[in-house]
Amino acid sequence: MSRSFPVSNSPFFVLAPMDDVTDTVLRQIIADCATPDLFFTEFVNVDGLQSPGRPQLLKKLQFTAKEKPIIAQVWGKNPENFKKTAQELVDMGFAGIDLNMGCPVKAIVKNGCCAALINNRELALQIIDAVKQGAAGKVPVSVKTRLGFNEKDLSWPGLILKQNVDMLTIHGRTAKEMSKVAADWESIDEVRKLRDRIAPQTKIVGNGDVMSRRQGLKLAKKYNLDGIMIGRGIFSDPFVFSDSSQWFEFSREQKIRLFIKHVGLFASTWGQSKRPVHVLNKFCKIYIQDFDGAKELRENCMKVESTDELLNVLDAAL
Ligand SMILES: Cc1cc2nc3c(=O)[nH]c(=O)nc-3n(C[C@H](O)[C@H](O)[C@H](O)COP(=O)(O)O)c2cc1C
């Protein structure tokens, strides 16, 4: 176990990894609104990173000083690639390495990765071992997973806890449940109790359906958790990590100005040619909602072909 866990407060709040959502741009926006204690990258495939496809994937590992401390989340199949990538991530300045063992996306599971590891424990253990070797005790190694594959199966988190990882994030659903049912915090509590018995030094982070810091604090207290991870909550409140979010009092103009900031940062970070403006559509609804004319403005935003055009539409709406 590494001695250098990057966060000392308790409970700590973590921005969840969300593929194609929590890139460096979104993380900087969230950091400026109300910063979490810990950031994660989107998940990055180690087999792709150690292949000619590497340059494209390196974009997912881009971060700025604002997004620190940041943990790199990786996934894949080949332990050697995990080991090599872990060495590289240490050199890139990441504060930790997290292993995705929970993503239930069909194509990924079919390929034996992420949540499929719940049913291939031998490979899961080889991967943890390879990453520990690659990290060489220089940064913490952690796992993010679910309660089981088809059913809750506490032998799974129990096995992970026996590996002496630095942190275990439990998303309170099985892989089969995807996101279709409410997160089961009583089961997260059972995993925390397992932790108390098996690996008291491992931090436990609960995840699933948390929509505010206040709700997260209550859950952390009730279930005695070290940390709370929030993902989709940012879509309804980009200030979700704040003690007293002002978001619901934001004026139309304040919301539009925050979107302008997001678009500007997107343009300066990625450039029009590297990432199409349509990637921003999924963020539009964060800002352009709950005011008169929001629907029409959203429709106009989605018609544009460039970030310059989008900025013109937003400027004109001010
Ligand atoms: C669009 C999207 C992308 C996601 N990508 C990842 C990912 O790359 N790695 C990961 O561990 N979980 C990923 N997740 C799962 C989230 O990290 C989190 O576990 C899940 O959304 C439940 O938390 P929430 O209710 O706070 O959103 C993703 C979820 C969403 C909605």
Side-chain angles (χ1 to χ4, degrees):
M1 172 165 300
S2 156
R3 306 246 164 255
S4 55
F5 193 77
V7 185
S8 53
N9 51 319
S10 177
F12 57 88
F13 281 81
V14 190
L15 175 62
M18 290 189 281
D19 192 40
D20 279 340
V21 174
T22 55
D23 65 351
T24 178
V25 172
L26 195 270
R27 291 193 306 257
Q28 288 176 64
I29 295 290
I30 296 296
D32 282 349
C33 289
T35 194
D37 300 298
L38 189 57
F39 293 86
F40 268 55
T41 66
E42 305 158 77
F43 72 167
V44 187
N45 185 286
V46 295
D47 303 316
L49 265 180
Q50 304 303 334
S51 80
R54 179 181 178 90
Q56 195 59 21
L57 289 177
L58 283 176
K59 289 181 198 166
K60 290 183 187 279
L61 293 172
Q62 213 166 300
F63 67 93
T64 64
K66 242 182 220 177
E67 303 150 62
K68 283 185 171 184
I70 182 162
I71 286 181
Q73 194 194 54
V74 289
W75 66 286
K77 205 163 178 187
N78 179 327
E80 264 311 303
N81 288 336
F82 272 98
K83 182 176 167 186
K84 191 156 181 235
T85 302
Q87 285 163 342
E88 293 171 349
L89 294 171
V90 171
D91 293 341
M92 287 178 198
F94 284 98
I97 301 168
D98 187 78
L99 310 179
N100 183 313
M101 297 195 178
C103 175
V105 169
K106 241 189 199 153
I108 287 178
V109 168
K110 216 171 155 191
N111 196 23
C113 300
C114 296
L117 294 169
I118 300 172
N119 292 330
N120 186 355
R121 300 187 181 185
E122 200 178 314
L123 181 57
L125 297 189
Q126 283 173 20
I127 288 172
I128 293 173
D129 206 46
V131 170
K132 280 187 176 174
Q133 282 181 37
K138 291 178 186 155
V139 297
V141 173
S142 57
V143 171
K144 179 170 180 280
T145 190
R146 292 182 174 235
L147 292 167
F149 196 89
N150 286 323
E151 284 151 24
K152 177 170 110 181
D153 173 5
L154 295 189
S155 72
W156 166 243
L159 180 70
I160 300 293
L161 286 165
K162 284 183 193 137
Q163 308 316 306
N164 205 15
V165 291
D166 292 84
M167 174 171 77
L168 173 62
T169 303
I170 282 285
H171 177 184
R173 298 183 176 94
T174 63
K176 189 178 164 191
E177 286 168 340
M178 310 285 285
S179 290
K180 291 178 193 149
V181 301
D184 172 2
W185 284 81
E186 295 300 325
S187 293
I188 293 176
D189 189 37
E190 288 179 52
V191 177
R192 192 270 306 161
K193 285 177 182 146
L194 258 187
R195 181 286 305 267
D196 293 351
R197 282 209 307 280
I198 299 176
Q201 71 287 0
T202 299
K203 312 267 185 216
I204 289 279
V205 175
N207 169 236
D209 303 338
V210 180
M211 299 305 283
S212 70
R213 184 182 172 91
R214 180 178 297 187
Q215 183 195 357
L217 284 172
K218 271 194 197 157
L219 289 165
K221 194 168 173 204
K222 181 169 180 193
Y223 298 120
N224 233 325
L225 302 167
D226 298 295
I228 295 288
M229 176 180 273
I230 301 182
R232 291 165 300 170
I234 58 146
F235 285 106
S236 49
D237 181 2
F239 292 78
V240 70
F241 294 105
S242 162
D243 274 334
S244 52
S245 171
Q246 308 288 305
W247 180 243
F248 300 101
E249 279 88 57
F250 255 45
S251 66
R252 174 181 185 280
E253 183 184 334
Q254 284 172 306
K255 288 180 180 174
I256 294 174
R257 285 202 188 283
L258 193 52
F259 193 27
I260 289 175
K261 178 176 164 182
H262 189 149
V263 177
L265 193 56
F266 178 93
S268 61
T269 304
W270 301 127
Q272 184 61 30
S273 57
K274 292 193 203 126
R275 239 171 230 202
V277 65
H278 304 111
V279 171
L280 286 166
N281 286 353
K282 67 171 78 105
F283 300 109
C284 190
K285 212 169 175 192
I286 300 181
Y287 311 99
I288 312 298
Q289 69 167 329
D290 293 333
F291 57 75
D292 286 345
K295 184 165 174 278
E296 292 74 17
L297 180 53
R298 269 204 311 275
E299 282 164 7
N300 289 338
C301 288
M302 292 192 190
K303 280 184 204 149
V304 303
E305 295 296 333
S306 71
T307 45
D308 282 347
E309 240 186 281
L310 180 53
L311 289 170
N312 286 340
V313 169
L314 293 170
D315 276 335
L318 279 174

